[in-house]
């Protein structure tokens, strides 16, 4: 079941609207976002942003990916993106994705947003497995996945070609039974989120 909005301790996570375009562009154009992600192009025009919003709606309509805008609850500031993408309903798995405004990194927002997606993916959408991939050099992204209980599966050697360089990608994952065990044991940093659907 598609959910339009989530509220966590510090965040509002909701579907994108046309009025979010300028805020979206201000974050996705950051050099730090480009440097640490494997699917975002260097040049991001306003026309491309409008096209991407259409892609998000198309993917949502066809249950291929659910991507959300992330805002701070206290200020309403847009700080990034989180979602479940590459959803494979036949095999009951999906990939988690996220990026954050460089100005707010290191404060746990990516972890909080990603944890909300795990809860949604397992408890509402009924996935058996959720995967995550990050550039090997992006240790911060890997730590986010590890904090929410994902386990390292392996490194895809020189799997990404970007700016004339081959990069390794790290792959992590979590199974539904592992997620439930972690929640019961309260050993993770996200058991306090109390995600509300709106």
């Amino acid at each position: 079941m598609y959910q339009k909005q989530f509220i966590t301790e510090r965040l509002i996570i909701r579907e994108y609207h046309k009025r979010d375009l300028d805020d979206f562009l201000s974050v996705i154009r950051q050099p730090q976002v480009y440097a640490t992600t494997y699917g975002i192009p260097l040049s991001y025009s306003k026309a491309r942003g409008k096209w991407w919003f259409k892609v998000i709606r198309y993917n949502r309509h066809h249950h291929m990916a659910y991507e959300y805008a992330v805002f701070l609850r206290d200020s309403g500031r847009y700080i990034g993106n989180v979602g479940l993408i590459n959803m494979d309903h036949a095999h009951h798995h999906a990939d988690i994705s996220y990026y954050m405004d460089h100005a707010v990194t290191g404060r746990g927002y990516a972890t909080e947003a990603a944890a909300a997606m795990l809860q949604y993916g397992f408890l509402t959408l009924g996935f058996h497995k959720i995967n995550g991939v990050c550039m090997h050099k992006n240790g911060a992204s890997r730590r986010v996945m590890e904090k929410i209980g994902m386990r390292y599966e392996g490194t895809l050697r020189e799997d990404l070609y970007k700016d004339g360089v081959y990069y390794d990608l790290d792959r992590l994952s979590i199974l539904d039974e592992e997620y439930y065990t972690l929640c019961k044991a309260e050993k993770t940093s996200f058991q306090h989120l109390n995600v509300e659907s709106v």
Side-chain angles (χ1 to χ4, degrees), residues 7 9 22 28 45 64 97 140 157 188:
I7 297 176
E9 182 181 352
D22 288 340
I28 206 166
S45 66
M64 298 164 59
S97 69
R157 296 182 302 154
T188 65

Side-chain angles (χ1 to χ4, degrees), residues 5-190:
Q5 180 170 294
F6 310 83
I7 297 176
T8 67
E9 182 181 352
R10 299 179 295 168
L11 305 173
I12 295 174
I13 303 168
R14 65 158 172 79
E15 63 183 11
Y16 280 96
H17 302 307
K18 290 181 179 179
R19 66 178 182 271
D20 300 320
L21 181 60
D22 288 340
D23 289 335
F24 165 80
L25 290 171
S26 71
V27 172
I28 206 166
R29 286 173 173 168
Q30 293 177 356
Q32 298 91 342
V33 172
Y34 171 75
T36 56
T37 55
Y38 61 90
I40 294 174
L42 177 60
S43 177
Y44 221 105
S45 66
K46 194 162 191 174
R48 183 181 181 90
K50 290 179 179 179
W51 166 81
W52 182 242
F53 275 28
K54 291 179 182 178
V55 170
I56 291 173
R57 289 194 296 272
Y58 178 88
N59 288 342
R60 180 176 71 219
H61 179 74
H62 292 279
H63 308 291
M64 298 164 59
Y66 297 156
E67 292 196 57
Y68 297 93
V70 182
F71 300 85
L72 296 178
R73 282 183 69 171
D74 60 359
S75 66
R77 174 183 172 183
Y78 173 78
I79 60 167
N81 173 288
V82 70
L84 294 171
I85 63 173
N86 303 322
M87 292 164 57
D88 187 333
H89 299 283
H91 299 284
H92 311 120
H93 63 77
D95 296 342
I96 195 165
S97 69
Y98 48 84
Y99 61 83
M100 292 288 145
D101 185 335
H102 181 68
V104 301
T105 56
R107 303 180 193 179
Y109 296 133
T111 302
E112 191 168 325
M117 288 300 101
L118 278 197
Q119 181 173 316
Y120 179 43
F122 287 127
L123 301 186
T124 302
L125 299 180
F127 286 121
H128 172 64
K129 182 180 183 181
I130 295 178
N131 305 297
V133 176
C134 66
M135 295 175 73
H136 178 73
K137 70 174 186 175
N138 190 357
S141 183
R142 177 168 170 170
R143 285 191 294 276
V144 166
M145 289 187 272
E146 290 173 338
K147 285 178 183 177
I148 60 174
M150 301 180 81
R151 298 182 182 180
Y152 173 70
E153 285 194 349
T155 296
L156 308 174
R157 296 182 302 154
E158 299 190 0
D159 202 64
L160 170 68
Y161 184 69
K162 180 174 180 174
D163 298 332
V165 179
Y166 290 101
Y167 291 96
D168 294 346
L169 299 178
D170 288 346
R171 178 183 172 93
L172 292 86
S173 68
I174 184 170
L175 303 176
D176 52 0
E177 60 263 31
E178 294 168 344
Y179 176 78
Y180 301 138
T181 298
L182 287 170
C183 288
K184 288 177 183 177
E186 295 190 348
K187 290 181 180 177
T188 65
S189 60
F190 58 89

